[in-house]
Amino acid sequence: MACFCSIQLLPFAKSLTLLSPISTLSSLPLRPIRSNFSPPPVSSLPSPFICRCTSATSPPPHSDGFIGFLDDDEEEAAAAEEEEEEDEEEFYEDDDLDLEALESEAKDAVRSYSTSLSRQLTIGNLPLRTRQIDLKGFKGKQKRRKGATKTIPDHLLPKVTIVGRPNVGKSALFNRLVGGNRAIVVDEPGVTRDRLYGRSFWGDHEFVVVDTGGVLNVSKSQANVMEDLAISTTIGMDGISLLSREAAVARMPSMIERQATAAVEEASVIIFLVDGQAGLTAADVEIADWLRKSYSSKYIVLAVKKCESPRKGVMQASEFWSLGFSPIPISALSGTGTGELLDLVCSGLKKTEDVENMDKEENYVPSIAIVGRPNVGKSSILNSLLGEDRTIVSPISGTTRDAIDTEFVGPDGQKFRLIDTAGIRRRASVASSGSTTEALSVNRAFRAIRRSDVVALVIEAMACITEQDTRIAERIEKEGKGCLIVVNKWDTIPNKNQQTATYYEQDVREKMRMLDWAPIVYYTAITGQSVEKVIVAASTIEKERARRLSTAILNQVIREAIAFKPPPRTRGGKRGRVYYCTQAAIRPPTFVFFVNDAKLFPETYRRYMEKQLRSDAGFAGTPIRLLWRSRRKVEKDEGKAATRTRSNLSPREGNVALTT
């Protein structure tokens, strides 16, 4: 039987181990913290600690009798610590790590994480890829010629504008020509309101196709205009007087026609589209007279749509000879006649040669998506930035339907692609409204977030932060996009002083904790106040998203963070150790940590590490990803699997397996 003195020796030995000095972290790569101090032997201890019992001989401290007094938890902790030390010694046999293998593993980890994230983030019950294109009905699209490169900027290419009355299929033909589902196609009039641009080619010609809203030249009553354009005066217009609503409805047709007129004026070729099934209408006659009188100098092609049958198409098109143009029957659904149509279009275009003195590789043009709830002023901000009425601005909720792409050049010469989007309402509100157009508009807005680099989240100053704003912010953070919070209508805040912005920012940070890294810009779209601040902030965010830290600087930051606050210990005494860290990707910046066990790093410590990276290395306005990889996880899992296989075998089978 062991004496009581040996039992008293155990806490003293543990205290010596805890008081042992910790070696500092060595140079790159990072090494786990180790202890080089061992407790003195029992024989060298002072006499009060030496056993003097005569009834029984005290066993040595490492004999079976002494270990018998340890609890089961302490035995497991000691065994785990022994195994961990052996593992570390085996891992650090060589002085240097295989950095190439670690870098390759880090890139694989980023790809795996991106794939799993894209499966989680869905739009319309479908996974949203980077460029999701519905190719249904586009199987016959021609292949791009060899040697064709996208070196000519969009503003230098000739433009082909599609015009016609509402609901004749202009957006469907636009999608056919550009090769995707860029424009919203719904069997109801007034869906398209703003100009929509798309790049296309045919043979050796490359051009830009412009989709426009339906032109209403026939005088109609206000009720008929609302019905034809699918205008709602109730959704999102609670704070607007009835007189303002009626005035906005009255101005809507003229605004749409103004957008179509601007597209026609800049076009080299005009495709005048009519409906072959509906036949000739008074609106078609008035549009034809308008084009013939005002734009006789331009090349005009009359296309009769919805002629799926070639035989019936000729008969349907014969009715439109009275308009004064040569009709050509086509079908955007099946593609019938689109080849002949493009031949006629290209005959009226001048071939654009590649611009001289241009780089062979096109510079990367970052995209800025303007998103937010309905009626917060997104289109006003776009028009204020461009200095022109690029999109329709109206108090009517849901004015913008499609995602409008526009090229913009900043004051410093930096090119951007601005994307105006439709207002995003709650999913339950969209479903309860039963509007297919609104559902597709919201999907386009989410797609714009996915294909953008920086998102300008617009909120209304008086409304402050709503629940829907928070949900949009969460989506932006999950997508990994840079973000800029734009507080629009700042002039509506009464009695402002120097502390108003400070208090307002505190409220925004409190309600949008997931975007605590996003800068805030106070803006007034009507007057254009602080318009340059939006572009400057977006440009800075894009540079931060594309910034890459060197491995030496990164590991130095990690070493300092660990020295200031080491990872916490578990109840069993295990502690997380960081072996190596590298930045594996940009846009957004993604860092991969190779550790002994990722489970030993709780969420609180991971947030601490992210804050240290931001405070020491920057990355303002962009989310950063931290991926934690257990370095020897594969080997351990294989070893456990082999152990389970042997344990399930009989003794004889186990001996045979070990022999083989």
PDB file of all heavy atoms in Angstrom, residues 368-371 385 453-459 476 481-487 515 517-522 531-539 541 621-622:
ATOM      1  N   ILE A 368     -20.142  47.690 -58.814  1.00  0.00           N
ATOM      2  CA  ILE A 368     -20.755  48.229 -57.601  1.00  0.00           C
ATOM      3  C   ILE A 368     -22.264  48.058 -57.728  1.00  0.00           C
ATOM      4  O   ILE A 368     -22.886  48.668 -58.610  1.00  0.00           O
ATOM      5  CB  ILE A 368     -20.396  49.708 -57.390  1.00  0.00           C
ATOM      6  CG1 ILE A 368     -18.876  49.894 -57.363  1.00  0.00           C
ATOM      7  CG2 ILE A 368     -21.021  50.243 -56.116  1.00  0.00           C
ATOM      8  CD1 ILE A 368     -18.443  51.346 -57.292  1.00  0.00           C
ATOM      9  N   ALA A 369     -22.854  47.235 -56.891  1.00  0.00           N
ATOM     10  CA  ALA A 369     -24.302  47.006 -56.893  1.00  0.00           C
ATOM     11  C   ALA A 369     -24.951  47.913 -55.859  1.00  0.00           C
ATOM     12  O   ALA A 369     -24.498  47.992 -54.714  1.00  0.00           O
ATOM     13  CB  ALA A 369     -24.620  45.544 -56.598  1.00  0.00           C
ATOM     14  N   ILE A 370     -26.009  48.593 -56.260  1.00  0.00           N
ATOM     15  CA  ILE A 370     -26.766  49.475 -55.369  1.00  0.00           C
ATOM     16  C   ILE A 370     -28.037  48.743 -54.979  1.00  0.00           C
ATOM     17  O   ILE A 370     -28.928  48.537 -55.815  1.00  0.00           O
ATOM     18  CB  ILE A 370     -27.081  50.813 -56.063  1.00  0.00           C
ATOM     19  CG1 ILE A 370     -25.796  51.455 -56.602  1.00  0.00           C
ATOM     20  CG2 ILE A 370     -27.774  51.772 -55.111  1.00  0.00           C
ATOM     21  CD1 ILE A 370     -26.046  52.695 -57.435  1.00  0.00           C
ATOM     22  N   VAL A 371     -28.130  48.324 -53.722  1.00  0.00           N
ATOM     23  CA  VAL A 371     -29.251  47.513 -53.265  1.00  0.00           C
ATOM     24  C   VAL A 371     -29.884  48.163 -52.043  1.00  0.00           C
ATOM     25  O   VAL A 371     -29.298  49.046 -51.398  1.00  0.00           O
ATOM     26  CB  VAL A 371     -28.801  46.075 -52.931  1.00  0.00           C
ATOM     27  CG1 VAL A 371     -28.160  45.405 -54.125  1.00  0.00           C
ATOM     28  CG2 VAL A 371     -27.848  46.065 -51.749  1.00  0.00           C
ATOM     29  N   LEU A 385     -24.749  59.947 -59.607  1.00  0.00           N
ATOM     30  CA  LEU A 385     -23.363  59.593 -59.910  1.00  0.00           C
ATOM     31  C   LEU A 385     -23.040  59.795 -61.384  1.00  0.00           C
ATOM     32  O   LEU A 385     -21.952  60.266 -61.736  1.00  0.00           O
ATOM     33  CB  LEU A 385     -23.099  58.139 -59.507  1.00  0.00           C
ATOM     34  CG  LEU A 385     -23.111  57.825 -58.009  1.00  0.00           C
ATOM     35  CD1 LEU A 385     -23.001  56.319 -57.784  1.00  0.00           C
ATOM     36  CD2 LEU A 385     -21.964  58.535 -57.308  1.00  0.00           C
ATOM     37  N   ASP A 453     -18.602  43.346 -56.886  1.00  0.00           N
ATOM     38  CA  ASP A 453     -17.438  43.362 -56.009  1.00  0.00           C
ATOM     39  C   ASP A 453     -17.714  44.141 -54.727  1.00  0.00           C
ATOM     40  O   ASP A 453     -17.309  43.732 -53.648  1.00  0.00           O
ATOM     41  CB  ASP A 453     -16.237  43.972 -56.733  1.00  0.00           C
ATOM     42  CG  ASP A 453     -15.820  43.162 -57.937  1.00  0.00           C
ATOM     43  OD1 ASP A 453     -15.267  42.071 -57.750  1.00  0.00           O
ATOM     44  OD2 ASP A 453     -16.057  43.614 -59.071  1.00  0.00           O
ATOM     45  N   VAL A 454     -18.382  45.264 -54.879  1.00  0.00           N
ATOM     46  CA  VAL A 454     -18.739  46.111 -53.743  1.00  0.00           C
ATOM     47  C   VAL A 454     -20.237  46.360 -53.799  1.00  0.00           C
ATOM     48  O   VAL A 454     -20.792  46.620 -54.874  1.00  0.00           O
ATOM     49  CB  VAL A 454     -17.973  47.448 -53.767  1.00  0.00           C
ATOM     50  CG1 VAL A 454     -18.357  48.316 -52.580  1.00  0.00           C
ATOM     51  CG2 VAL A 454     -16.474  47.205 -53.782  1.00  0.00           C
ATOM     52  N   VAL A 455     -20.893  46.270 -52.649  1.00  0.00           N
ATOM     53  CA  VAL A 455     -22.337  46.498 -52.555  1.00  0.00           C
ATOM     54  C   VAL A 455     -22.572  47.773 -51.760  1.00  0.00           C
ATOM     55  O   VAL A 455     -22.076  47.902 -50.629  1.00  0.00           O
ATOM     56  CB  VAL A 455     -23.054  45.312 -51.886  1.00  0.00           C
ATOM     57  CG1 VAL A 455     -24.549  45.584 -51.782  1.00  0.00           C
ATOM     58  CG2 VAL A 455     -22.809  44.031 -52.676  1.00  0.00           C
ATOM     59  N   ALA A 456     -23.310  48.706 -52.351  1.00  0.00           N
ATOM     60  CA  ALA A 456     -23.722  49.922 -51.655  1.00  0.00           C
ATOM     61  C   ALA A 456     -25.113  49.673 -51.079  1.00  0.00           C
ATOM     62  O   ALA A 456     -26.106  49.686 -51.808  1.00  0.00           O
ATOM     63  CB  ALA A 456     -23.717  51.111 -52.601  1.00  0.00           C
ATOM     64  N   LEU A 457     -25.176  49.410 -49.787  1.00  0.00           N
ATOM     65  CA  LEU A 457     -26.448  49.157 -49.112  1.00  0.00           C
ATOM     66  C   LEU A 457     -27.060  50.496 -48.732  1.00  0.00           C
ATOM     67  O   LEU A 457     -26.541  51.211 -47.875  1.00  0.00           O
ATOM     68  CB  LEU A 457     -26.233  48.280 -47.880  1.00  0.00           C
ATOM     69  CG  LEU A 457     -27.461  48.003 -47.017  1.00  0.00           C
ATOM     70  CD1 LEU A 457     -28.553  47.325 -47.839  1.00  0.00           C
ATOM     71  CD2 LEU A 457     -27.093  47.142 -45.812  1.00  0.00           C
ATOM     72  N   VAL A 458     -28.169  50.832 -49.381  1.00  0.00           N
ATOM     73  CA  VAL A 458     -28.811  52.126 -49.188  1.00  0.00           C
ATOM     74  C   VAL A 458     -29.908  51.984 -48.144  1.00  0.00           C
ATOM     75  O   VAL A 458     -30.766  51.099 -48.246  1.00  0.00           O
ATOM     76  CB  VAL A 458     -29.395  52.655 -50.514  1.00  0.00           C
ATOM     77  CG1 VAL A 458     -29.972  54.054 -50.325  1.00  0.00           C
ATOM     78  CG2 VAL A 458     -28.332  52.659 -51.601  1.00  0.00           C
ATOM     79  N   ILE A 459     -29.872  52.851 -47.139  1.00  0.00           N
ATOM     80  CA  ILE A 459     -30.918  52.903 -46.127  1.00  0.00           C
ATOM     81  C   ILE A 459     -31.456  54.324 -46.070  1.00  0.00           C
ATOM     82  O   ILE A 459     -30.770  55.282 -46.440  1.00  0.00           O
ATOM     83  CB  ILE A 459     -30.399  52.461 -44.737  1.00  0.00           C
ATOM     84  CG1 ILE A 459     -29.284  53.402 -44.260  1.00  0.00           C
ATOM     85  CG2 ILE A 459     -29.913  51.028 -44.772  1.00  0.00           C
ATOM     86  CD1 ILE A 459     -28.770  53.079 -42.881  1.00  0.00           C
ATOM     87  N   ILE A 476     -25.214  40.000 -47.780  1.00  0.00           N
ATOM     88  CA  ILE A 476     -23.982  40.572 -48.315  1.00  0.00           C
ATOM     89  C   ILE A 476     -22.766  39.969 -47.636  1.00  0.00           C
ATOM     90  O   ILE A 476     -21.764  39.634 -48.276  1.00  0.00           O
ATOM     91  CB  ILE A 476     -24.009  42.105 -48.152  1.00  0.00           C
ATOM     92  CG1 ILE A 476     -25.135  42.713 -48.983  1.00  0.00           C
ATOM     93  CG2 ILE A 476     -22.668  42.715 -48.543  1.00  0.00           C
ATOM     94  CD1 ILE A 476     -25.355  44.188 -48.720  1.00  0.00           C
ATOM     95  N   LYS A 481     -18.944  39.919 -50.069  1.00  0.00           N
ATOM     96  CA  LYS A 481     -18.768  41.121 -50.874  1.00  0.00           C
ATOM     97  C   LYS A 481     -18.382  42.297 -49.984  1.00  0.00           C
ATOM     98  O   LYS A 481     -18.799  42.399 -48.831  1.00  0.00           O
ATOM     99  CB  LYS A 481     -20.062  41.456 -51.625  1.00  0.00           C
ATOM    100  CG  LYS A 481     -20.577  40.326 -52.490  1.00  0.00           C
ATOM    101  CD  LYS A 481     -19.557  39.921 -53.544  1.00  0.00           C
ATOM    102  CE  LYS A 481     -20.056  38.764 -54.394  1.00  0.00           C
ATOM    103  NZ  LYS A 481     -19.062  38.353 -55.398  1.00  0.00           N
ATOM    104  N   GLY A 482     -17.591  43.204 -50.559  1.00  0.00           N
ATOM    105  CA  GLY A 482     -17.322  44.444 -49.866  1.00  0.00           C
ATOM    106  C   GLY A 482     -18.591  45.257 -49.742  1.00  0.00           C
ATOM    107  O   GLY A 482     -19.475  45.192 -50.614  1.00  0.00           O
ATOM    108  N   CYS A 483     -18.707  46.043 -48.697  1.00  0.00           N
ATOM    109  CA  CYS A 483     -19.969  46.734 -48.439  1.00  0.00           C
ATOM    110  C   CYS A 483     -19.699  48.173 -48.027  1.00  0.00           C
ATOM    111  O   CYS A 483     -18.729  48.473 -47.315  1.00  0.00           O
ATOM    112  CB  CYS A 483     -20.776  46.019 -47.368  1.00  0.00           C
ATOM    113  SG  CYS A 483     -22.413  46.737 -47.091  1.00  0.00           S
ATOM    114  N   LEU A 484     -20.597  49.030 -48.473  1.00  0.00           N
ATOM    115  CA  LEU A 484     -20.595  50.444 -48.137  1.00  0.00           C
ATOM    116  C   LEU A 484     -22.023  50.814 -47.760  1.00  0.00           C
ATOM    117  O   LEU A 484     -22.951  50.609 -48.552  1.00  0.00           O
ATOM    118  CB  LEU A 484     -20.108  51.273 -49.330  1.00  0.00           C
ATOM    119  CG  LEU A 484     -20.331  52.779 -49.275  1.00  0.00           C
ATOM    120  CD1 LEU A 484     -19.455  53.405 -48.207  1.00  0.00           C
ATOM    121  CD2 LEU A 484     -20.053  53.400 -50.633  1.00  0.00           C
ATOM    122  N   ILE A 485     -22.229  51.313 -46.549  1.00  0.00           N
ATOM    123  CA  ILE A 485     -23.560  51.702 -46.085  1.00  0.00           C
ATOM    124  C   ILE A 485     -23.789  53.159 -46.447  1.00  0.00           C
ATOM    125  O   ILE A 485     -23.057  54.044 -45.992  1.00  0.00           O
ATOM    126  CB  ILE A 485     -23.706  51.485 -44.567  1.00  0.00           C
ATOM    127  CG1 ILE A 485     -23.463  50.017 -44.212  1.00  0.00           C
ATOM    128  CG2 ILE A 485     -25.082  51.917 -44.086  1.00  0.00           C
ATOM    129  CD1 ILE A 485     -23.496  49.734 -42.720  1.00  0.00           C
ATOM    130  N   VAL A 486     -24.782  53.396 -47.299  1.00  0.00           N
ATOM    131  CA  VAL A 486     -25.109  54.749 -47.755  1.00  0.00           C
ATOM    132  C   VAL A 486     -26.401  55.177 -47.066  1.00  0.00           C
ATOM    133  O   VAL A 486     -27.459  54.578 -47.286  1.00  0.00           O
ATOM    134  CB  VAL A 486     -25.264  54.806 -49.285  1.00  0.00           C
ATOM    135  CG1 VAL A 486     -25.600  56.220 -49.735  1.00  0.00           C
ATOM    136  CG2 VAL A 486     -24.001  54.314 -49.970  1.00  0.00           C
ATOM    137  N   VAL A 487     -26.324  56.192 -46.236  1.00  0.00           N
ATOM    138  CA  VAL A 487     -27.499  56.738 -45.559  1.00  0.00           C
ATOM    139  C   VAL A 487     -28.037  57.850 -46.447  1.00  0.00           C
ATOM    140  O   VAL A 487     -27.507  58.971 -46.461  1.00  0.00           O
ATOM    141  CB  VAL A 487     -27.144  57.263 -44.150  1.00  0.00           C
ATOM    142  CG1 VAL A 487     -28.392  57.781 -43.449  1.00  0.00           C
ATOM    143  CG2 VAL A 487     -26.484  56.162 -43.326  1.00  0.00           C
ATOM    144  N   LEU A 515     -21.946  43.888 -40.097  1.00  0.00           N
ATOM    145  CA  LEU A 515     -21.243  44.805 -40.997  1.00  0.00           C
ATOM    146  C   LEU A 515     -20.532  45.895 -40.202  1.00  0.00           C
ATOM    147  O   LEU A 515     -20.494  47.063 -40.629  1.00  0.00           O
ATOM    148  CB  LEU A 515     -22.225  45.447 -41.992  1.00  0.00           C
ATOM    149  CG  LEU A 515     -22.920  44.529 -42.994  1.00  0.00           C
ATOM    150  CD1 LEU A 515     -23.817  45.333 -43.920  1.00  0.00           C
ATOM    151  CD2 LEU A 515     -21.917  43.719 -43.802  1.00  0.00           C
ATOM    152  N   TRP A 517     -17.555  46.362 -39.996  1.00  0.00           N
ATOM    153  CA  TRP A 517     -16.349  46.759 -40.715  1.00  0.00           C
ATOM    154  C   TRP A 517     -16.668  47.649 -41.923  1.00  0.00           C
ATOM    155  O   TRP A 517     -15.770  48.111 -42.620  1.00  0.00           O
ATOM    156  CB  TRP A 517     -15.603  45.524 -41.217  1.00  0.00           C
ATOM    157  CG  TRP A 517     -16.504  44.421 -41.679  1.00  0.00           C
ATOM    158  CD1 TRP A 517     -16.912  43.321 -40.974  1.00  0.00           C
ATOM    159  CD2 TRP A 517     -17.131  44.308 -42.975  1.00  0.00           C
ATOM    160  NE1 TRP A 517     -17.745  42.542 -41.737  1.00  0.00           N
ATOM    161  CE2 TRP A 517     -17.898  43.115 -42.963  1.00  0.00           C
ATOM    162  CE3 TRP A 517     -17.124  45.085 -44.119  1.00  0.00           C
ATOM    163  CZ2 TRP A 517     -18.643  42.693 -44.062  1.00  0.00           C
ATOM    164  CZ3 TRP A 517     -17.868  44.677 -45.215  1.00  0.00           C
ATOM    165  CH2 TRP A 517     -18.609  43.497 -45.172  1.00  0.00           C
ATOM    166  N   ALA A 518     -17.956  47.874 -42.214  1.00  0.00           N
ATOM    167  CA  ALA A 518     -18.344  48.638 -43.402  1.00  0.00           C
ATOM    168  C   ALA A 518     -18.354  50.132 -43.102  1.00  0.00           C
ATOM    169  O   ALA A 518     -18.913  50.559 -42.088  1.00  0.00           O
ATOM    170  CB  ALA A 518     -19.725  48.190 -43.884  1.00  0.00           C
ATOM    171  N   PRO A 519     -17.756  50.965 -43.968  1.00  0.00           N
ATOM    172  CA  PRO A 519     -17.814  52.423 -43.758  1.00  0.00           C
ATOM    173  C   PRO A 519     -19.212  52.964 -44.031  1.00  0.00           C
ATOM    174  O   PRO A 519     -20.009  52.360 -44.765  1.00  0.00           O
ATOM    175  CB  PRO A 519     -16.795  52.964 -44.766  1.00  0.00           C
ATOM    176  CG  PRO A 519     -16.733  51.923 -45.830  1.00  0.00           C
ATOM    177  CD  PRO A 519     -16.967  50.605 -45.156  1.00  0.00           C
ATOM    178  N   ILE A 520     -19.521  54.114 -43.456  1.00  0.00           N
ATOM    179  CA  ILE A 520     -20.836  54.753 -43.595  1.00  0.00           C
ATOM    180  C   ILE A 520     -20.648  56.101 -44.272  1.00  0.00           C
ATOM    181  O   ILE A 520     -19.775  56.887 -43.891  1.00  0.00           O
ATOM    182  CB  ILE A 520     -21.517  54.914 -42.224  1.00  0.00           C
ATOM    183  CG1 ILE A 520     -21.711  53.544 -41.556  1.00  0.00           C
ATOM    184  CG2 ILE A 520     -22.859  55.618 -42.361  1.00  0.00           C
ATOM    185  CD1 ILE A 520     -22.307  53.623 -40.167  1.00  0.00           C
ATOM    186  N   VAL A 521     -21.472  56.362 -45.288  1.00  0.00           N
ATOM    187  CA  VAL A 521     -21.453  57.629 -46.009  1.00  0.00           C
ATOM    188  C   VAL A 521     -22.850  58.243 -45.921  1.00  0.00           C
ATOM    189  O   VAL A 521     -23.849  57.572 -46.208  1.00  0.00           O
ATOM    190  CB  VAL A 521     -21.048  57.440 -47.484  1.00  0.00           C
ATOM    191  CG1 VAL A 521     -21.159  58.753 -48.245  1.00  0.00           C
ATOM    192  CG2 VAL A 521     -19.638  56.897 -47.581  1.00  0.00           C
ATOM    193  N   TYR A 522     -22.912  59.491 -45.518  1.00  0.00           N
ATOM    194  CA  TYR A 522     -24.180  60.220 -45.427  1.00  0.00           C
ATOM    195  C   TYR A 522     -24.357  61.001 -46.721  1.00  0.00           C
ATOM    196  O   TYR A 522     -23.484  61.773 -47.131  1.00  0.00           O
ATOM    197  CB  TYR A 522     -24.170  61.134 -44.203  1.00  0.00           C
ATOM    198  CG  TYR A 522     -23.951  60.372 -42.916  1.00  0.00           C
ATOM    199  CD1 TYR A 522     -22.669  60.273 -42.368  1.00  0.00           C
ATOM    200  CD2 TYR A 522     -24.990  59.732 -42.266  1.00  0.00           C
ATOM    201  CE1 TYR A 522     -22.450  59.561 -41.202  1.00  0.00           C
ATOM    202  CE2 TYR A 522     -24.785  59.024 -41.102  1.00  0.00           C
ATOM    203  CZ  TYR A 522     -23.512  58.939 -40.572  1.00  0.00           C
ATOM    204  OH  TYR A 522     -23.301  58.228 -39.424  1.00  0.00           O
ATOM    205  N   VAL A 531     -21.451  63.169 -53.239  1.00  0.00           N
ATOM    206  CA  VAL A 531     -21.471  62.149 -54.285  1.00  0.00           C
ATOM    207  C   VAL A 531     -20.088  61.561 -54.498  1.00  0.00           C
ATOM    208  O   VAL A 531     -19.936  60.362 -54.798  1.00  0.00           O
ATOM    209  CB  VAL A 531     -22.037  62.741 -55.594  1.00  0.00           C
ATOM    210  CG1 VAL A 531     -21.170  63.879 -56.090  1.00  0.00           C
ATOM    211  CG2 VAL A 531     -22.157  61.678 -56.668  1.00  0.00           C
ATOM    212  N   GLU A 532     -19.039  62.376 -54.344  1.00  0.00           N
ATOM    213  CA  GLU A 532     -17.688  61.866 -54.566  1.00  0.00           C
ATOM    214  C   GLU A 532     -17.256  60.911 -53.460  1.00  0.00           C
ATOM    215  O   GLU A 532     -16.409  60.034 -53.676  1.00  0.00           O
ATOM    216  CB  GLU A 532     -16.695  63.022 -54.688  1.00  0.00           C
ATOM    217  CG  GLU A 532     -16.447  63.804 -53.399  1.00  0.00           C
ATOM    218  CD  GLU A 532     -17.557  64.778 -53.060  1.00  0.00           C
ATOM    219  OE1 GLU A 532     -18.434  64.971 -53.932  1.00  0.00           O
ATOM    220  OE2 GLU A 532     -17.559  65.328 -51.954  1.00  0.00           O
ATOM    221  N   LYS A 533     -17.846  61.047 -52.263  1.00  0.00           N
ATOM    222  CA  LYS A 533     -17.471  60.169 -51.158  1.00  0.00           C
ATOM    223  C   LYS A 533     -17.871  58.725 -51.422  1.00  0.00           C
ATOM    224  O   LYS A 533     -17.194  57.796 -50.986  1.00  0.00           O
ATOM    225  CB  LYS A 533     -18.106  60.665 -49.856  1.00  0.00           C
ATOM    226  CG  LYS A 533     -17.572  62.005 -49.370  1.00  0.00           C
ATOM    227  CD  LYS A 533     -18.210  62.388 -48.046  1.00  0.00           C
ATOM    228  CE  LYS A 533     -17.681  63.730 -47.547  1.00  0.00           C
ATOM    229  NZ  LYS A 533     -18.315  64.118 -46.258  1.00  0.00           N
ATOM    230  N   VAL A 534     -18.975  58.524 -52.127  1.00  0.00           N
ATOM    231  CA  VAL A 534     -19.430  57.159 -52.425  1.00  0.00           C
ATOM    232  C   VAL A 534     -18.424  56.450 -53.319  1.00  0.00           C
ATOM    233  O   VAL A 534     -18.029  55.299 -53.062  1.00  0.00           O
ATOM    234  CB  VAL A 534     -20.823  57.201 -53.082  1.00  0.00           C
ATOM    235  CG1 VAL A 534     -21.268  55.798 -53.476  1.00  0.00           C
ATOM    236  CG2 VAL A 534     -21.837  57.830 -52.140  1.00  0.00           C
ATOM    237  N   ILE A 535     -17.962  57.119 -54.370  1.00  0.00           N
ATOM    238  CA  ILE A 535     -17.021  56.498 -55.297  1.00  0.00           C
ATOM    239  C   ILE A 535     -15.660  56.296 -54.636  1.00  0.00           C
ATOM    240  O   ILE A 535     -15.004  55.259 -54.831  1.00  0.00           O
ATOM    241  CB  ILE A 535     -16.901  57.351 -56.569  1.00  0.00           C
ATOM    242  CG1 ILE A 535     -18.236  57.353 -57.318  1.00  0.00           C
ATOM    243  CG2 ILE A 535     -15.807  56.821 -57.467  1.00  0.00           C
ATOM    244  CD1 ILE A 535     -18.700  55.987 -57.762  1.00  0.00           C
ATOM    245  N   VAL A 536     -15.221  57.287 -53.859  1.00  0.00           N
ATOM    246  CA  VAL A 536     -13.922  57.150 -53.180  1.00  0.00           C
ATOM    247  C   VAL A 536     -13.946  55.977 -52.209  1.00  0.00           C
ATOM    248  O   VAL A 536     -13.006  55.170 -52.147  1.00  0.00           O
ATOM    249  CB  VAL A 536     -13.569  58.465 -52.457  1.00  0.00           C
ATOM    250  CG1 VAL A 536     -12.355  58.265 -51.564  1.00  0.00           C
ATOM    251  CG2 VAL A 536     -13.308  59.570 -53.465  1.00  0.00           C
ATOM    252  N   ALA A 537     -15.029  55.847 -51.437  1.00  0.00           N
ATOM    253  CA  ALA A 537     -15.133  54.738 -50.484  1.00  0.00           C
ATOM    254  C   ALA A 537     -15.200  53.399 -51.212  1.00  0.00           C
ATOM    255  O   ALA A 537     -14.558  52.420 -50.798  1.00  0.00           O
ATOM    256  CB  ALA A 537     -16.361  54.927 -49.596  1.00  0.00           C
ATOM    257  N   ALA A 538     -15.961  53.323 -52.304  1.00  0.00           N
ATOM    258  CA  ALA A 538     -16.062  52.066 -53.059  1.00  0.00           C
ATOM    259  C   ALA A 538     -14.723  51.686 -53.674  1.00  0.00           C
ATOM    260  O   ALA A 538     -14.348  50.505 -53.693  1.00  0.00           O
ATOM    261  CB  ALA A 538     -17.133  52.189 -54.137  1.00  0.00           C
ATOM    262  N   SER A 539     -13.983  52.672 -54.180  1.00  0.00           N
ATOM    263  CA  SER A 539     -12.666  52.390 -54.752  1.00  0.00           C
ATOM    264  C   SER A 539     -11.702  51.877 -53.690  1.00  0.00           C
ATOM    265  O   SER A 539     -10.924  50.934 -53.929  1.00  0.00           O
ATOM    266  CB  SER A 539     -12.117  53.646 -55.420  1.00  0.00           C
ATOM    267  OG  SER A 539     -10.827  53.418 -55.934  1.00  0.00           O
ATOM    268  N   ILE A 541     -12.497  50.283 -50.921  1.00  0.00           N
ATOM    269  CA  ILE A 541     -12.925  48.938 -50.525  1.00  0.00           C
ATOM    270  C   ILE A 541     -12.454  47.906 -51.542  1.00  0.00           C
ATOM    271  O   ILE A 541     -11.990  46.817 -51.179  1.00  0.00           O
ATOM    272  CB  ILE A 541     -14.456  48.902 -50.360  1.00  0.00           C
ATOM    273  CG1 ILE A 541     -14.876  49.745 -49.162  1.00  0.00           C
ATOM    274  CG2 ILE A 541     -14.952  47.474 -50.192  1.00  0.00           C
ATOM    275  CD1 ILE A 541     -16.374  49.914 -49.029  1.00  0.00           C
ATOM    276  N   GLY A 621     -13.857  47.590 -44.885  1.00  0.00           N
ATOM    277  CA  GLY A 621     -14.911  47.543 -45.882  1.00  0.00           C
ATOM    278  C   GLY A 621     -15.099  46.215 -46.572  1.00  0.00           C
ATOM    279  O   GLY A 621     -15.952  46.102 -47.453  1.00  0.00           O
ATOM    280  N   THR A 622     -14.347  45.205 -46.198  1.00  0.00           N
ATOM    281  CA  THR A 622     -14.489  43.892 -46.832  1.00  0.00           C
ATOM    282  C   THR A 622     -14.503  42.804 -45.776  1.00  0.00           C
ATOM    283  O   THR A 622     -13.785  42.893 -44.768  1.00  0.00           O
ATOM    284  CB  THR A 622     -13.334  43.629 -47.820  1.00  0.00           C
ATOM    285  OG1 THR A 622     -13.454  42.303 -48.357  1.00  0.00           O
ATOM    286  CG2 THR A 622     -11.988  43.765 -47.141  1.00  0.00           C
TER     287      THR A 622
END
